[in-house]
Amino acid sequence: MIWIAWRRDYALLDYRNKRILLIVPDGTRTAPVGLLFKAIHAQLGDATKALDVLIALGTHQPMSEAAICQRLEITEAERRDKYQRVKFFNHAWDDPNALKKIGVISPDEIRTLSNGLFSMEVPVEINSLVFNYDQIIIIGPVFPHENASFYGLDSANPH
Protein backbone atom coordinates (compact mmCIF):
# COMPACT_ATOMS: atom_id res chain seq x y z
CA MET A 1 0.00 0.00 0.00
CA ILE A 2 2.86 2.40 0.75
CA TRP A 3 4.41 1.68 -2.67
CA ILE A 4 1.13 2.53 -4.42
CA ALA A 5 0.83 5.81 -2.53
CA TRP A 6 4.48 6.65 -3.30
CA ARG A 7 4.03 5.83 -6.99
CA ARG A 8 0.91 8.01 -7.12
CA ASP A 9 2.70 10.94 -5.48
CA TYR A 10 5.70 10.45 -7.76
CA ALA A 11 3.47 10.40 -10.85
CA LEU A 12 1.73 13.58 -9.72
CA LEU A 13 5.07 15.39 -9.59
CA ASP A 14 5.54 14.62 -13.28
CA TYR A 15 2.13 16.08 -14.19
CA ARG A 16 1.55 18.81 -11.59
CA ASN A 17 0.46 22.05 -13.29
CA LYS A 18 0.97 20.52 -16.73
CA ARG A 19 -1.44 20.64 -19.64
CA ILE A 20 -2.30 17.04 -20.58
CA LEU A 21 -4.13 16.01 -23.75
CA LEU A 22 -5.66 12.54 -23.92
CA ILE A 23 -6.13 11.27 -27.45
CA VAL A 24 -8.88 8.66 -27.59
CA PRO A 25 -10.39 6.75 -30.50
CA ASP A 26 -13.91 7.44 -31.67
CA GLY A 27 -16.61 4.80 -31.38
CA THR A 28 -15.28 2.79 -34.34
CA ARG A 29 -12.42 1.30 -32.26
CA THR A 30 -12.81 -1.13 -29.39
CA ALA A 31 -11.00 -0.33 -26.17
CA PRO A 32 -11.83 0.24 -22.49
CA VAL A 33 -11.68 4.00 -23.11
CA GLY A 34 -14.05 4.96 -20.29
CA LEU A 35 -12.20 2.88 -17.73
CA LEU A 36 -8.85 4.37 -18.74
CA PHE A 37 -10.18 7.94 -18.91
CA LYS A 38 -11.68 7.67 -15.42
CA ALA A 39 -8.51 6.11 -13.97
CA ILE A 40 -6.26 8.79 -15.48
CA HIS A 41 -8.62 11.57 -14.37
CA ALA A 42 -8.74 10.14 -10.83
CA GLN A 43 -4.93 10.05 -10.67
CA LEU A 44 -4.09 13.33 -12.40
CA GLY A 45 -7.20 15.48 -12.80
CA ASP A 46 -6.76 17.62 -9.71
CA ALA A 47 -3.00 18.08 -10.14
CA THR A 48 -2.94 19.20 -13.76
CA LYS A 49 -3.49 22.64 -15.20
CA ALA A 50 -5.62 20.97 -17.87
CA LEU A 51 -6.66 17.41 -18.67
CA ASP A 52 -8.49 17.51 -21.99
CA VAL A 53 -9.67 14.96 -24.55
CA LEU A 54 -9.15 14.92 -28.32
CA ILE A 55 -11.28 12.41 -30.20
CA ALA A 56 -9.24 10.70 -32.93
CA LEU A 57 -11.84 10.60 -35.67
CA GLY A 58 -9.73 9.65 -38.63
CA THR A 59 -12.06 10.92 -41.33
CA HIS A 60 -15.28 10.03 -39.48
CA GLN A 61 -17.99 12.48 -38.47
CA PRO A 62 -17.46 14.60 -35.33
CA MET A 63 -18.95 13.21 -32.13
CA SER A 64 -21.53 15.21 -30.15
CA GLU A 65 -20.98 16.07 -26.49
CA ALA A 66 -23.45 13.32 -25.55
CA ALA A 67 -21.64 10.78 -27.76
CA ILE A 68 -18.29 11.71 -26.20
CA CYS A 69 -19.76 11.27 -22.73
CA GLN A 70 -21.03 7.85 -23.78
CA ARG A 71 -17.60 6.97 -25.20
CA LEU A 72 -15.92 8.02 -21.95
CA GLU A 73 -18.62 6.18 -19.97
CA ILE A 74 -19.65 9.23 -18.00
CA THR A 75 -23.12 10.59 -17.47
CA GLU A 76 -24.13 14.10 -18.47
CA ALA A 77 -24.48 14.88 -14.76
CA GLU A 78 -20.89 13.70 -14.14
CA ARG A 79 -19.81 15.82 -17.10
CA ARG A 80 -21.35 18.93 -15.55
CA ASP A 81 -19.89 18.19 -12.11
CA LYS A 82 -16.88 15.91 -11.78
CA TYR A 83 -15.50 16.44 -15.30
CA GLN A 84 -16.49 20.07 -15.90
CA ARG A 85 -12.85 21.21 -16.34
CA VAL A 86 -12.21 18.67 -19.10
CA LYS A 87 -12.48 20.13 -22.59
CA PHE A 88 -13.61 17.87 -25.42
CA PHE A 89 -12.28 18.32 -28.95
CA ASN A 90 -13.02 16.48 -32.17
CA HIS A 91 -10.09 16.08 -34.53
CA ALA A 92 -10.80 18.50 -37.37
CA TRP A 93 -9.12 16.46 -40.11
CA ASP A 94 -10.86 18.43 -42.84
CA ASP A 95 -9.90 21.90 -41.55
CA PRO A 96 -6.46 22.98 -42.83
CA ASN A 97 -6.34 25.66 -40.12
CA ALA A 98 -6.54 22.96 -37.42
CA LEU A 99 -3.52 21.08 -38.78
CA LYS A 100 0.19 21.77 -38.67
CA LYS A 101 2.66 20.45 -41.17
CA ILE A 102 5.53 18.75 -39.35
CA GLY A 103 7.38 17.39 -42.34
CA VAL A 104 7.11 15.48 -45.57
CA ILE A 105 7.62 11.95 -46.79
CA SER A 106 9.98 12.04 -49.74
CA PRO A 107 9.04 10.70 -53.17
CA ASP A 108 11.73 8.02 -52.76
CA GLU A 109 10.20 6.83 -49.49
CA ILE A 110 6.71 6.80 -51.00
CA ARG A 111 8.05 4.81 -53.95
CA THR A 112 9.55 2.27 -51.54
CA LEU A 113 6.44 2.09 -49.34
CA SER A 114 4.12 1.69 -52.34
CA ASN A 115 6.32 -0.85 -54.14
CA GLY A 116 6.82 1.62 -56.98
CA LEU A 117 3.15 2.49 -57.48
CA PHE A 118 3.58 6.12 -56.42
CA SER A 119 6.37 8.63 -56.33
CA MET A 120 5.30 11.93 -54.85
CA GLU A 121 6.05 14.11 -51.86
CA VAL A 122 3.43 13.63 -49.14
CA PRO A 123 2.99 16.25 -46.42
CA VAL A 124 2.74 15.00 -42.83
CA GLU A 125 0.25 17.04 -40.80
CA ILE A 126 -0.97 16.63 -37.25
CA ASN A 127 -3.61 18.35 -35.18
CA SER A 128 -2.20 21.67 -34.01
CA LEU A 129 -3.82 21.22 -30.59
CA VAL A 130 -0.98 18.93 -29.55
CA PHE A 131 1.36 21.92 -29.48
CA ASN A 132 -0.75 23.56 -26.75
CA TYR A 133 -0.04 20.76 -24.26
CA ASP A 134 2.93 19.61 -22.21
CA GLN A 135 2.11 15.91 -22.44
CA ILE A 136 0.12 13.77 -24.87
CA ILE A 137 -1.33 10.46 -23.69
CA ILE A 138 -2.81 8.13 -26.29
CA ILE A 139 -5.51 5.79 -25.00
CA GLY A 140 -6.46 2.70 -26.95
CA PRO A 141 -5.94 1.87 -30.60
CA VAL A 142 -5.19 5.25 -32.15
CA PHE A 143 -3.10 4.91 -35.29
CA PRO A 144 -1.76 7.53 -37.68
CA HIS A 145 -3.17 6.87 -41.12
CA GLU A 146 -3.42 8.63 -44.39
CA ASN A 147 -6.38 10.63 -45.54
CA ALA A 148 -8.04 9.28 -48.68
CA SER A 149 -6.34 12.04 -50.65
CA PHE A 150 -2.99 10.31 -50.02
CA TYR A 151 -3.81 8.09 -52.97
CA GLY A 152 -5.27 10.90 -55.05
CA LEU A 153 -8.73 9.44 -54.55
CA ASP A 154 -10.26 11.98 -52.21
CA SER A 155 -13.95 11.24 -52.72
CA ALA A 156 -14.94 14.19 -50.54
CA ASN A 157 -13.05 16.56 -52.83
CA PRO A 158 -12.88 14.92 -56.28
CA HIS A 159 -11.61 17.95 -58.25
Side-chain angles (χ1 to χ4, degrees):
M1 196 60 99
I2 293 171
W3 182 84
I4 293 170
W6 176 82
R7 286 292 303 150
R8 183 176 188 276
D9 290 343
Y10 182 75
L12 287 179
L13 290 176
D14 291 342
Y15 295 102
R16 189 166 306 284
N17 295 319
K18 299 272 177 90
R19 294 179 50 77
I20 311 300
L21 183 64
L22 304 178
I23 300 179
V24 304
D26 66 6
T28 64
R29 304 287 184 264
T30 303
V33 172
L35 176 70
L36 294 169
F37 166 74
K38 289 177 184 179
I40 291 169
H41 187 274
Q43 290 289 313
L44 304 177
D46 291 336
T48 61
K49 185 181 288 184
L51 181 64
D52 298 331
V53 175
L54 173 62
I55 304 296
L57 297 171
T59 57
H60 301 139
Q61 293 294 316
M63 295 176 69
S64 67
E65 175 100 1
I68 295 172
C69 287
Q70 184 177 3
R71 181 66 173 145
L72 299 178
E73 299 175 14
I74 62 174
T75 65
E76 291 183 28
E78 287 175 313
R79 171 71 176 129
R80 287 188 304 271
D81 182 35
K82 187 174 185 175
Y83 303 106
Q84 67 180 340
R85 285 187 45 220
V86 178
K87 293 179 185 167
F88 294 162
F89 302 100
N90 281 292
H91 172 56
W93 62 271
D94 58 348
D95 179 1
N97 295 321
L99 305 173
K100 181 173 181 174
K101 183 176 176 180
I102 60 169
V104 296
I105 303 174
S106 71
D108 289 340
E109 183 71 13
I110 294 299
R111 188 178 313 106
T112 300
L113 292 170
S114 68
N115 293 321
L117 295 174
F118 300 98
S119 180
M120 64 182 120
E121 184 174 275
V122 176
V124 177
E125 299 173 322
I126 63 173
N127 192 301
S128 59
L129 277 175
V130 302
F131 297 100
N132 298 333
Y133 291 85
D134 302 304
Q135 180 74 42
I136 308 301
I137 300 173
I138 300 173
I139 297 177
V142 175
F143 305 104
H145 57 281
E146 69 281 347
N147 188 324
S149 62
F150 175 89
Y151 294 106
L153 302 173
D154 187 354
S155 60
N157 189 10
H159 48 282

